[in-house]
Amino acid sequence: MEKSTLAKIYEWASYALIVAATVYFFVSHKEVTITLFGIMLALFFRNMMYRTRYKMFEDENEELKVDLRRLTNLLEIEKKKNINK
């Protein structure tokens, strides 16, 4: 599964858990522990979403750095060819 899809799943799961915990709290006025557990789980999913996005951006930056190094080397080789002519 791609990281962007996984981040979206975590995001929507956190929203769904927050809504479910809120509805459950207003339906049963005495069960606060289950509501808090739902909110904690939603926060966990939100944290996983941010972690997945961070990893995704980190991987993309690493690919860009490799491409930049390769292009810099090609430019240097091309300059050396032009100097020798």
Side-chain angles (χ1 to χ4, degrees):
M1 184 178 295
E2 290 185 22
K3 290 184 181 180
S4 62
T5 307
L6 195 58
K8 288 179 185 177
I9 290 171
Y10 285 140
E11 182 179 11
W12 286 103
S14 69
Y15 290 144
L17 280 169
I18 289 172
V19 168
T22 304
V23 168
Y24 186 77
F25 177 75
F26 286 116
V27 168
S28 70
H29 298 286
K30 295 181 181 179
E31 291 292 327
V32 178
T33 56
I34 295 175
T35 303
L36 290 176
F37 181 72
I39 291 173
M40 285 185 347
L41 198 58
L43 289 173
F44 173 74
F45 280 139
R46 200 75 172 160
N47 186 26
M48 291 299 292
M49 178 197 70
Y50 287 125
R51 182 178 175 270
T52 305
R53 283 185 181 172
Y54 174 77
K55 290 288 187 184
M56 184 175 61
F57 293 145
E58 190 176 79
D59 292 344
E60 185 179 346
N61 280 340
E62 196 61 38
E63 289 176 15
L64 290 173
K65 285 179 185 178
V66 168
D67 288 344
L68 182 63
R69 286 185 194 114
R70 186 177 55 82
L71 290 172
T72 305
N73 286 336
L74 287 174
L75 182 64
E76 186 177 316
I77 291 170
E78 194 64 32
K79 282 183 180 179
K80 286 181 181 179
K81 284 182 182 178
N82 287 337
I83 291 174
N84 290 336
K85 286 183 179 181

